Amino acid sequence: MQKFVISGGNRLSGEINLQGSKNSSLPIIAGTLLADGECVLKNCPVLSDVYSASRILNCLGCKCQLSSGNAVIDSIGVSGFEIPDELMREMRSSIMFMGAILGRMGECIVSIPGGCELGSRPIDMHLASFRKMGVDISDSGGKIHCRIPSGKAHGAKISLSFPSVGTTENIILCAVTAKGDTIINNAAREPEICDLCRFLRKCGADIKGDGESRIVIRGVKKLHGCEYTIMPDRIAGATYIAMTAATGGELILKNACISETEPFISVLEQTGCGIYIADNRIYVRKGARLHAIKDRIRTMPHPGFPTDAQAVLMSALITADGTSVFEENIFDCRYRHTDALIKMGADIQVMGKVAVVRGVNKIYGADIEATDLRGGAAMAVAALSAEGTTNLSNIYHIDRGYEKFEEVVSSLGGKIRRE
Ligand code: UD1
């Protein structure tokens, strides 16, 4: 099992080009199943989750080549509709393939995704939405079998009880080649959904309203291949910004997604960290000790503060001057990183969905284990600002979402090595 050995205390400084977005590349890769032709995805991040997605495509009959940031996917020969158990277990977001497989094959078999890192992550909204679109669903022996008796889903009016990102994406993927119009009310508005829709429109889909809470999809007969560039990863951007803020350095994020990162930046600015935006770049500079954030930091669906950036911001605030309070409203088990931060000397008290972070003067290196993707990244942020050496194990979590993590951090002057 690999680990990162991180020696803290160096100010991070420099420029980086942001990687492509993990959370949009996964549904876009699923979407290539619908295209009758070759898709070329540029700026596709090189991540273990992307490799898992390509293994799913291969086992369904696609040809998929990943090389130096490009994915070339040919779905002409798709014939399978079942995702094997071991691939379902490799990546929980394999559930995202359901809508696309249904759209292409009219049938799909998946297993219920296994143990979950962020608490219970049910798929009831996904299944209820598919049922509304004419899909018969049965569940036995841990397998979910979905079948559309007529072979093609029909449009439906679907009102989500919560703006779930994955459900919104799954409905869109199933609806683009369905018969008739699908309307999603209370749709999620995350930028990655807009990225998915931009890709699908380039393949010939008819979708309106993405980025708003009402999305209308008019089913078309078929989609064609295209070349598409995946948006930069706003959460990786937030992570490197938090790292700079925590270590007191200076960072220029090139090809940043500025408006998409705004909900994170507007909160971080309250710490006194200097953030300047120009020419599609974000410039971050930390001078004195960060101030705690006075208002409660509430994670909310976009355009609220992103749950995926909660842990990395917390790591920057553990040595801030004063007390900051987090409220996690999206997932019920998203403070699993706090035990490691406490082991490093942080003063954090978790009570249900609230975490109270009292700033301390210093934190120290420790032997810790990544608990999940963003929690693991948060531990690396803390380790880089700590005194001494941290051994961070279970880094396969970090590899799921950060491309060449140690290379990027080293290029900014951070002392990190993989062992
Ligand atoms: C996606 C992102 C993840 C991000 C999250 C919220 C990807 C690959 N992952 O996850 O990084 O943290 O959005 O921004 O894009 N829920 C149900 N029933 C369902 C579906 C969801 O109760 O059928 C609940 C979940 O348990 C959770 C909440 O809805 O409490 C939000 O989940 P959702 O928006 O669906 O997140 P994901 O798509 O899993």
Side-chain angles (χ1 to χ4, degrees), residues 314 324 326 335 338 342 346-352 354-358:
M314 186 181 289
S324 310
F326 287 81
Y335 288 132
T338 54
I342 291 167
D347 181 348
I348 304 170
Q349 219 182 341
V350 175
M351 292 156 290
V354 173
V356 178
V357 182
R358 292 184 187 83

Side-chain angles (χ1 to χ4, degrees), residues 92 95 98 120-133 137 144 158-172 174 184-188 301 330-331:
R92 194 196 179 277
I95 211 73
M98 288 177 82
S120 68
R121 284 174 95 175
I123 56 166
D124 54 323
M125 283 195 263
H126 297 247
L127 300 184
S129 308
F130 290 144
R131 283 197 175 98
K132 281 204 147 187
M133 300 178 76
I137 302 175
I144 304 171
I158 300 168
S159 296
L160 299 178
S161 55
F162 180 87
S164 151
V165 175
T167 310
T168 303
E169 291 168 342
N170 244 337
I171 299 170
I172 292 170
C174 188
I184 314 174
N185 287 318
N186 200 23
I330 309 294
F331 291 107

Side-chain angles (χ1 to χ4, degrees), residues 71-90:
V72 180
I73 300 166
D74 178 349
S75 305
I76 289 175
V78 170
S79 56
F81 53 85
E82 175 163 5
I83 306 181
D85 277 5
E86 63 274 17
L87 290 178
M88 286 300 295
R89 274 198 302 273
E90 242 176 50

Side-chain angles (χ1 to χ4, degrees), residues 22-24 26-27 49 92-93 95-96 118-127 162-169 188 190 192 234-235 300-302 306-308 329-332 334 373-374 400:
K22 170 183 94 73
N23 283 359
S24 54
L26 298 178
D49 269 10
R92 194 196 179 277
S93 25
I95 211 73
M96 288 307 314
L118 305 176
S120 68
R121 284 174 95 175
I123 56 166
D124 54 323
M125 283 195 263
H126 297 247
L127 300 184
F162 180 87
S164 151
V165 175
T167 310
T168 303
E169 291 168 342
E190 267 63 9
E192 293 75 17
R234 66 191 171 108
I235 303 300
M300 298 294 265
H302 193 77
T307 174
D308 284 348
N329 293 304
I330 309 294
F331 291 107
D332 53 12
R334 210 161 195 186
L373 166 56
R374 305 303 170 187
R400 287 187 41 228

Side-chain angles (χ1 to χ4, degrees), residues 237-246 251 253 261 264-265 268 275 282 284:
T239 304
Y240 295 119
I241 292 174
M243 219 174 254
T244 309
L251 172 73
L253 264 189
T261 314
F264 173 78
I265 287 177
L268 187 70
I275 299 182
I282 301 177
V284 185

